Amino acid sequence: MCVLAGAGTGKTRAITHRIAYGVWSGTYQPSQVLAVTFTARAAGEMRTRLRGLGVPGVQARTFHAAALRQLQFFWPQAVGGAPPEVVAQKAPAVAEAAGRLRLRLDRPALRDLAAEIEWAKVNLITPQGYPEAVRGRRDGVAGLDLTAVARLMSTYEDVKGERHVIDFEDVLLLMVGILDAHPRIAASVRDQYRHFVVDEYQDVNPVQQQLLDLWVGGREEVCVVGDPAQTIYSFTGASPRHLLEFPQRHPDATVVRLVRNYRSTPQVVQLANLVLGPGARGGVELRAQGEAGPQPRLTAYPDDVAEAAGVAGEIRARIHAGTPAAQIAVLFRTNAQSEAVESALAGRDVPYLVRGGERFFSRPEVRQAVLLLRGASRSDTGSRPLGQTVRDVIGGAGWSPQPPTAGAASRERWESLEALANLADDLVTVEPEARVATFVAELDRRAAEQHAPTVQGVTLASLHAAKGLEWDVVFIIGCSEGLLPVSMAEGAERIEEERRLLYVGLTRPRRELLLSWAAARGSGGRGTRKPSRFLQPAGHLLGLRKGAQGRTEKATVRTPRRPKTCRTCGTVLETAAERKVGRCGDCPPTYDEATFERLRDWRLQVSREQDVPAFVVFTDATLTAIAESTPTSTEALARIAGVGPRKLDLYGADVLAVLAGQGVSEGPHKDSPANRDK
């Protein structure tokens, strides 16, 4: 059976009930069912649900956990002796391999090489065949050419062999080898497990597929479940090909499409469907089953700082209105985007937690950069601009004027260091004479303020880390070209994966979805960014305009309004009348009573001349605002709410005269009934 399950369609419920029904109907023996998925959290969720359905004997594990258990059991029979230890991290062995080859590599380069080794192994590419297999399709890693990467991969295998250790990919590869070479062991495994369920099947890589085929052994008792529209891990070797081609490999398979979305509102589902487009769904288009909700909104901000402040303000308002902080999430494409939001939330005393990544100031490259800056602060004479000095210093932590062209870890580290450099530029706009010591103090302050409680906090997560999760309210920031799709994405396949990544984010909210983008990076910067091309199909819902060539044009950028507060006590003003006068109802007036009475007498005179109610001339709130601000010029008077161009033309001179203690002109005003009759 092949189940094509769209986002929010209840696939975990469907497959656990299918397993439970098989057990309770007598078709399955619980101990003979193996359900595999890709994360320990998902496997734990499946086990919990199966226990609740009365079938605790079913095995629900990750691919690696299931393979490791079998490897440890069968190793003495297949190889002899104790099984090798599995190393938790590749980096130390990669570093030793690099040292043997006299390659000087920093930590991000080692992480990128470890990721490349993982990708090659799950795609069944050997070190000897690596250069030819990837030539023309992948660049080198960490500044190394393909041959150098292949040599390092081979040396890495030598290091592991000498240490008698294996990595997680070896667990899968070794189990594939044992099952293929030892028919008796393969028969034993197949006798133990007769029925298989594979969740998130779109994330299967070639070695996992090969292992699954050996487990199943040509039988038909296998059910795969997945959504090709949520394939976002191709960099790890995942491919939706196995899911989409399942009916061709198994012609008698039943194909079931779960299309009813029970998570999100029709408005959210409509937007997600439009952004994804029909070509990437694999035949599944979501149909909303929930109640209607607010229309998703796209907000344009002048810069990243304003975007973070605007989002934080909206979050605070929702929490005050009763939405639990734990039911709100802010999603972004790169981890470096979290710093501005972390700072904005901390400044408003909003608790938050960072999921799927370290807090900005806890990242190794940031800690190293701050340490270097702390040392440089002693020798900074202020002879050079702060931004230039900071960039020179953090160059020792890996920053460079141009971002790295390959390697996700290297790019992520560069983005974090670039964010520090940009913070230095921002500090100079506020304190032009700031030196490195001032900057370090600012970083210390930011780090200290961001130790917010993590319980019941707003979730900050990358779009990758958000997969499989859901919240009532979701903000997706950075919906602009260069971030979505990220600037590193090149080629049609990478761009479409970026689209699917946004689709994953769009399908996370239960009720409210708020998108935003910023025209510039820093405050006062030139607004060169444009909204993401992925939003173009939904432009009519989000207020985007299309140019003559069908391209999405920039939406009107607005600076978010800051909440107005009482000039006396500082509380947020709730009503329009309070905001107009700038004072809450609990605080006493701050105007001169004699001035206010003169204004009231003048308003009464004008209302009688024009034969209209007094409030038509000016409302009480506007008159109070005039008395409290006492403008002395036409420009200042025009800035008061309720004084529009027409009233400024009619009454401006008289109001200024009253405020100055002068007399006003006699006779009917030009818009009085007498003048209108003439």
Side-chain angles (χ1 to χ4, degrees):
M1 175 170 285
C2 176
V3 182
L4 298 174
T9 57
K11 69 177 177 63
T12 305
R13 173 186 171 87
I15 60 177
T16 52
H17 277 70
R18 181 180 187 273
I19 294 171
Y21 181 80
V23 172
W24 283 105
S25 66
T27 305
Y28 299 162
Q29 291 296 321
S31 61
Q32 293 180 338
V33 179
L34 177 60
V36 289
T37 185
F38 287 84
T39 66
R41 181 186 63 81
E45 172 69 15
M46 197 178 295
R47 287 194 296 269
T48 300
R49 296 202 189 193
L50 288 169
R51 281 197 300 269
L53 293 170
V55 286
V58 173
Q59 296 295 309
R61 300 180 180 276
T62 66
F63 264 103
H64 284 90
L68 180 60
R69 190 181 187 195
Q70 294 175 15
L71 184 68
Q72 291 171 336
F73 183 82
F74 290 112
W75 183 272
Q77 301 177 40
V79 182
E85 179 187 354
V86 181
V87 295
Q89 301 289 337
K90 293 184 181 67
V94 175
E96 183 172 337
R100 292 185 182 185
L101 297 174
R102 298 185 178 181
L103 299 174
R104 300 184 62 181
L105 302 171
D106 58 17
R107 187 176 301 174
L110 293 175
R111 291 205 304 265
D112 286 334
L113 284 165
E116 187 70 1
I117 291 171
E118 177 180 335
W119 175 87
K121 295 177 82 166
V122 300
N123 280 283
L124 306 173
I125 299 173
T126 64
Q128 295 73 24
Y130 175 82
E132 188 62 32
V134 303
R135 184 170 285 112
R137 295 189 291 124
R138 291 172 80 88
D139 296 327
V141 181
L144 304 177
D145 61 28
L146 298 180
T147 302
V149 174
R151 289 175 57 212
L152 187 140
M153 292 169 60
S154 181
T155 308
Y156 166 78
E157 296 299 324
D158 293 339
V159 170
K160 286 195 294 127
E162 294 169 10
R163 295 181 177 181
H164 193 57
V165 297
I166 59 176
D167 58 31
F168 279 106
E169 290 66 52
D170 290 330
V171 172
L172 303 178
L173 290 165
L174 287 169
M175 201 58 220
V176 165
I178 288 174
L179 292 175
D180 189 48
H182 297 271
R184 292 180 60 183
I185 293 177
S188 178
V189 171
R190 292 164 191 162
D191 186 58
Q192 171 67 50
Y193 296 116
R194 306 263 181 107
H195 313 280
F196 298 86
V197 176
V198 186
D199 191 18
E200 303 288 1
Y201 192 57
Q202 78 279 350
D203 291 335
V204 163
N205 59 46
V207 69
Q208 289 167 335
Q209 179 63 54
Q210 193 168 7
L211 179 60
L212 177 64
D213 290 340
L214 288 166
W215 280 343
V216 175
R219 294 169 294 178
E220 296 183 349
E221 280 295 334
V222 59
C223 172
V224 299
V225 187
D227 180 10
Q230 296 189 71
T231 304
I232 58 174
Y233 294 111
S234 66
F235 58 88
T236 66
S239 170
R241 176 174 55 86
H242 305 291
L243 175 63
L244 295 174
E245 296 177 359
F246 188 87
Q248 285 73 49
R249 296 197 311 274
H250 304 275
D252 295 331
T254 300
V255 178
V256 176
R257 289 176 169 82
L258 301 183
V259 300
R260 297 182 181 181
N261 178 288
Y262 299 98
R263 175 190 298 154
S264 305
T265 65
Q267 289 79 6
V268 170
V269 170
Q270 180 189 20
L271 179 63
N273 282 336
L274 287 171
V275 168
L276 183 63
R281 290 195 190 97
V284 175
E285 181 174 358
L286 296 179
R287 302 175 190 171
Q289 303 297 302
E291 296 181 358
Q295 187 68 37
R297 193 176 79 223
L298 174 65
T299 302
Y301 292 92
D303 53 66
D304 289 346
V305 176
E307 181 180 29
V311 168
E314 294 216 38
I315 288 173
R316 190 169 186 269
R318 280 163 177 76
I319 293 174
H320 286 178
T323 300
Q327 289 303 326
I328 302 175
V330 181
L331 308 182
F332 36 78
R333 176 60 181 89
T334 68
N335 286 326
Q337 293 172 261
S338 73
E339 192 280 329
V341 183
E342 290 178 45
S343 180
L345 290 173
R348 290 162 175 77
D349 295 323
V350 176
Y352 66 89
L353 58 93
V354 181
R355 188 180 185 96
E358 296 173 293
R359 291 174 183 270
F360 181 81
F361 288 101
S362 298
R363 295 170 190 165
E365 62 271 18
V366 174
R367 293 202 307 268
Q368 181 186 5
V370 172
L371 186 63
L372 292 173
L373 289 166
R374 204 179 301 279
S377 65
R378 303 186 185 97
S379 58
D380 180 26
T381 62
S383 59
R384 295 191 303 165
L386 177 63
Q388 180 182 344
T389 302
V390 167
R391 285 171 171 83
D392 287 345
V393 173
I394 65 177
W399 180 86
S400 60
Q402 298 298 324
T405 57
S410 297
R411 179 61 183 242
E412 184 176 320
R413 178 182 186 178
W414 184 88
E415 292 281 4
S416 297
L417 296 173
E418 175 71 2
L420 283 179
N422 294 333
L423 282 176
D425 295 338
D426 294 340
L427 179 62
V428 171
T429 62
V430 179
E431 298 183 45
E433 303 301 321
R435 298 186 181 182
V436 174
T438 313
F439 182 53
V440 170
E442 170 68 7
L443 295 179
D444 289 341
R445 181 189 67 79
R446 285 173 174 261
E449 288 179 353
Q450 291 174 20
H451 292 162
T454 58
V455 178
Q456 283 298 312
V458 173
T459 301
L460 308 184
S462 69
L463 290 167
H464 281 102
K467 188 172 181 291
L469 304 176
E470 58 185 65
W471 299 269
D472 287 346
V473 181
V474 171
F475 294 80
I476 303 180
I477 65 172
C479 295
S480 61
E481 290 291 309
L483 290 172
L484 279 169
V486 72
S487 58
M488 290 188 298
E490 296 180 355
E493 290 185 7
R494 291 286 305 278
I495 295 297
E496 284 309 303
E497 180 151 340
E498 293 287 304
R499 184 190 300 274
R500 294 193 297 268
L501 189 57
L502 176 57
Y503 173 78
V504 167
L506 296 177
T507 53
R508 297 308 96 196
R510 298 189 190 97
R511 179 157 185 84
E512 194 170 3
L513 174 63
L514 300 109
L515 313 174
S516 60
W517 66 283
R521 187 206 60 77
S523 300
R526 184 182 177 188
T528 58
R529 291 175 179 166
K530 295 181 179 180
S532 169
R533 71 189 77 173
F534 299 148
L535 301 179
Q536 180 178 332
H540 60 289
L541 299 178
L542 300 173
L544 291 172
R545 303 185 303 274
K546 286 187 179 180
Q549 304 299 321
R551 297 177 181 174
T552 302
E553 295 182 351
K554 292 185 182 180
T556 301
V557 178
R558 68 173 181 85
T559 302
R561 294 182 178 179
R562 298 183 181 274
K564 288 190 175 181
T565 57
C566 174
R567 68 164 65 93
T568 302
C569 67
T571 60
V572 176
L573 302 176
E574 302 292 343
T575 68
E578 288 178 342
R579 289 192 290 269
K580 184 175 287 187
V581 301
R583 174 174 46 80
C584 71
D586 296 331
C587 291
T590 57
Y591 55 73
D592 178 71
E593 292 188 7
T595 300
F596 184 68
E597 287 304 318
R598 289 202 307 273
L599 286 169
R600 289 187 62 183
D601 291 342
W602 165 82
R603 183 180 66 172
L604 179 61
Q605 174 189 341
V606 173
S607 68
R608 287 173 176 172
E609 291 177 357
Q610 297 187 356
D611 193 22
V612 295
F615 70 83
V616 172
V617 181
F618 283 124
T619 64
D620 287 346
T622 301
L623 210 64
T624 302
I626 293 172
E628 293 202 343
S629 59
T630 59
T632 58
S633 66
T634 302
E635 292 76 15
L637 180 60
R639 288 194 290 269
I640 297 175
V643 182
R646 178 174 173 275
K647 291 189 177 182
L648 189 67
D649 183 43
L650 288 175
Y651 313 126
D654 284 355
V655 169
L656 294 175
V658 171
L659 292 173
Q662 303 170 1
V664 298
S665 58
E666 298 292 335
H669 285 72
K670 58 184 176 182
D671 200 37
S672 67
N675 279 337
R676 286 199 301 270
D677 292 342
K678 291 179 181 178

